[in-house]
Amino acid sequence: MKIIINGYVGPKITGIGRTLIETIKEISRQSPDIEMVVYTNYDNSELINNMFRDNVKIKTYHISRKKSIKNLLFNSLIFPFLSLKERADIVYIPNFTLIIFKFKPTIVVIHDMIEFKIKDKFSKIKMFYRHIAVPRMAKLSEHIIAVSENSKNDIIDICKVDESKISVIYNGVANDFQLKKKEPPKLNYDYLLYVGTVDYPGKNLYNSILAFEIYIKESNSDVKFVICGIPGKGFEKVNGLINNSNYRDHIKYLGYVKDKDLFNYYEYAKGFVFISYYEGFGLPVIEAMKFGIPVITSNRSSLPEIAGDAAIICDPDNIDEICSAYKKILEDSNIRTKLINKGYSNLKRFSWEKTASQTIEILEKWAD
């Protein structure tokens, strides 16, 4: 079987890009007879420089991954013809793409329906594009992979597709998503950690910071709040809150962080904060559990499904509830230990081995 894969994952490697890389790696390991051809941008170094097996071929096209309109045109108008050129048996599209036409059976991954759930999540142009592209992906694909039951239900409700057309395949967390050799901490203070897009209101970092300010005021603690992630829509709102905070010295925005530094920040964090309004899966939640960090997350969308009983679950609009969660994980060692142990147990539900094997079954079923 020969699979052609659309490897456009956006300007930076985030959850979708990491999911694609790990899925490709594991499919190639489990099924060395499957040939995979991945088309990606010439500047997608994470894909190009990855050490894939011989049955994975990375082919680049001369469009920067930062050029959204050019990528849209390439993926919608040129990529379908590449499936003919490559004589592929099946097309695999792991990111949001406008399908105008296709020549081969097509399997798509729809990670979430956030543009239908969170007002002003993206720019007006991107929101308009997503409102067209996502339902069309759902309609024209042979089969849809959703990353959670919550996403599946949203796809059924919004895109009006039959339940039988959707399979839920959870993401995993790689064994090497941690420090191979324990290194000294890069940050010389205690901190809570947030990893994700810095936007407003989607990830709810704004309320998370407000609750943190209350905690610092009441506890007079020296703990910091460390934020790692690229700016998203509404970044200026969050950045303004940080810059004007009476506790500005306690809040550290580090921007986009490469894996080596990120792993170190995970390793030494006192707690992980991810109290988002909406997630298709919420990969950082299980990444944090992999490092043995107590997690605070939201009671919305897929997050209770993914976190299970291994996190403190909060109403993202309840500042006092979030503040109380900070107090529990920073000041109660019994709660910390309990959450860490439950996190390790929860991780048994998620692995890239499972993700890949279930994906292979679907690809083989629909291959031309």
Side-chain angles (χ1 to χ4, degrees):
M1 179 171 62
K2 186 174 185 180
I3 308 167
I4 185 171
I5 300 173
N6 187 319
Y8 174 67
V9 293
K12 294 282 188 181
I13 290 290
T14 54
I16 291 176
R18 197 181 298 280
T19 296
L20 173 61
I21 289 171
E22 297 298 338
T23 303
I24 291 172
K25 279 184 178 178
E26 191 56 32
I27 289 176
S28 69
R29 187 191 70 81
Q30 291 184 23
S31 298
D33 57 323
I34 292 179
E35 183 180 355
M36 288 178 278
V37 180
V38 186
Y39 277 84
T40 192
N41 309 90
Y42 73 89
D43 54 353
N44 188 348
S45 58
E46 292 90 349
L47 261 175
I48 295 168
N49 297 330
N50 219 294
M51 299 299 291
F52 293 112
R53 292 171 181 256
D54 291 342
N55 55 334
V56 179
K57 304 294 186 223
I58 306 295
K59 296 189 177 183
T60 61
Y61 51 91
H62 200 69
I63 299 173
S64 171
R65 59 185 183 177
K66 298 176 183 178
K67 303 293 185 181
S68 56
I69 299 299
K70 288 184 178 180
N71 279 290
L72 167 62
L73 294 173
F74 177 88
N75 292 321
S76 299
L77 301 177
I78 298 175
F79 181 77
F81 288 101
L82 295 176
S83 67
L84 297 176
K85 177 186 175 183
E86 296 290 348
R87 297 184 179 180
D89 298 302
I90 195 160
V91 175
Y92 179 69
I93 301 178
N95 196 5
F96 301 99
T97 301
L98 176 62
I99 301 174
I100 297 176
F101 55 86
K102 61 187 179 67
F103 302 112
K104 296 288 182 176
T106 300
I107 307 301
V108 302
V109 183
I110 298 180
H111 295 264
D112 58 55
M113 300 297 290
I114 195 167
E115 59 280 339
F116 295 89
K117 295 290 186 175
I118 302 295
K119 183 181 178 182
D120 297 329
K121 169 65 179 176
F122 306 115
S123 68
K124 289 182 179 179
I125 292 175
K126 190 171 183 179
M127 291 288 280
F128 177 74
Y129 164 70
R130 287 279 196 101
H131 274 259
I132 295 173
V134 178
R136 192 166 178 84
M137 283 180 73
K139 180 180 179 181
L140 294 183
S141 61
E142 269 63 41
H143 200 75
I144 302 164
I145 295 172
V147 296
S148 65
E149 292 291 342
N150 182 81
S151 284
K152 175 183 175 179
N153 293 333
D154 286 345
I155 295 165
I156 292 170
D157 180 53
I158 294 167
C159 297
K160 309 302 179 187
V161 296
D162 192 89
E163 182 178 2
S164 63
K165 191 176 181 176
I166 309 174
S167 296
V168 174
I169 300 179
Y170 284 149
N171 293 330
V173 57
N175 290 328
D176 60 355
F177 195 84
Q178 58 189 32
L179 293 176
K180 292 182 175 64
K181 181 180 179 182
K182 196 174 182 70
E183 300 176 349
K186 294 181 180 293
L187 303 176
N188 60 352
Y189 43 76
D190 291 340
Y191 56 93
L192 296 172
L193 179 67
Y194 166 87
V195 177
T197 304
V198 181
D199 64 4
Y200 178 88
K203 299 288 187 181
N204 196 38
L205 189 52
Y206 194 92
N207 283 353
S208 301
I209 293 170
L210 290 178
F212 180 72
E213 290 178 324
I214 294 171
Y215 174 75
I216 296 299
K217 180 180 179 180
E218 293 180 348
S219 67
N220 199 30
S221 171
D222 289 329
V223 71
K224 314 298 184 189
F225 194 116
V226 172
I227 300 165
C228 301
I230 59 174
K233 189 170 186 297
F235 169 77
E236 63 282 353
K237 180 95 172 176
V238 178
N239 196 44
L241 176 64
I242 295 171
N243 290 332
N244 295 316
S245 173
N246 292 330
Y247 304 97
R248 176 68 186 88
D249 291 343
H250 287 74
I251 306 169
K252 309 294 183 182
Y253 174 54
L254 305 183
Y256 181 78
V257 175
K258 293 185 177 179
D259 279 355
K260 184 177 181 181
D261 290 334
L262 181 62
F263 293 177
N264 189 276
Y265 301 156
Y266 268 120
E267 181 81 12
Y268 292 99
K270 295 298 182 184
F272 187 72
V273 180
F274 199 74
I275 315 172
S276 179
Y277 282 115
Y278 185 93
E279 297 292 330
F281 183 84
L283 190 58
V285 167
I286 60 172
E287 290 176 345
M289 290 177 182
K290 182 77 173 180
F291 280 92
I293 310 169
V295 173
I296 302 169
T297 193
S298 165
N299 64 3
R300 307 278 178 90
S301 66
S302 66
L303 290 167
E305 175 187 345
I306 302 308
D309 66 349
I312 297 178
I313 307 293
C314 297
D315 179 345
D317 287 321
N318 192 323
I319 305 297
D320 290 337
E321 195 173 309
I322 298 170
C323 181
S324 176
Y326 294 161
K327 183 178 177 66
K328 288 175 183 176
I329 65 169
L330 290 170
E331 300 180 14
D332 191 322
S333 59
N334 291 329
I335 289 178
R336 285 180 55 81
T337 301
K338 184 177 179 181
L339 288 173
I340 290 168
N341 290 334
K342 284 190 172 184
Y344 289 139
S345 296
N346 187 50
L347 286 173
K348 295 174 184 177
R349 298 195 290 145
F350 310 103
S351 73
W352 292 121
E353 290 86 351
K354 292 178 183 178
T355 304
S357 63
Q358 293 169 6
T359 301
I360 290 168
E361 287 182 13
I362 293 170
L363 294 169
E364 288 179 338
K365 176 181 178 181
W366 290 99
D368 193 2

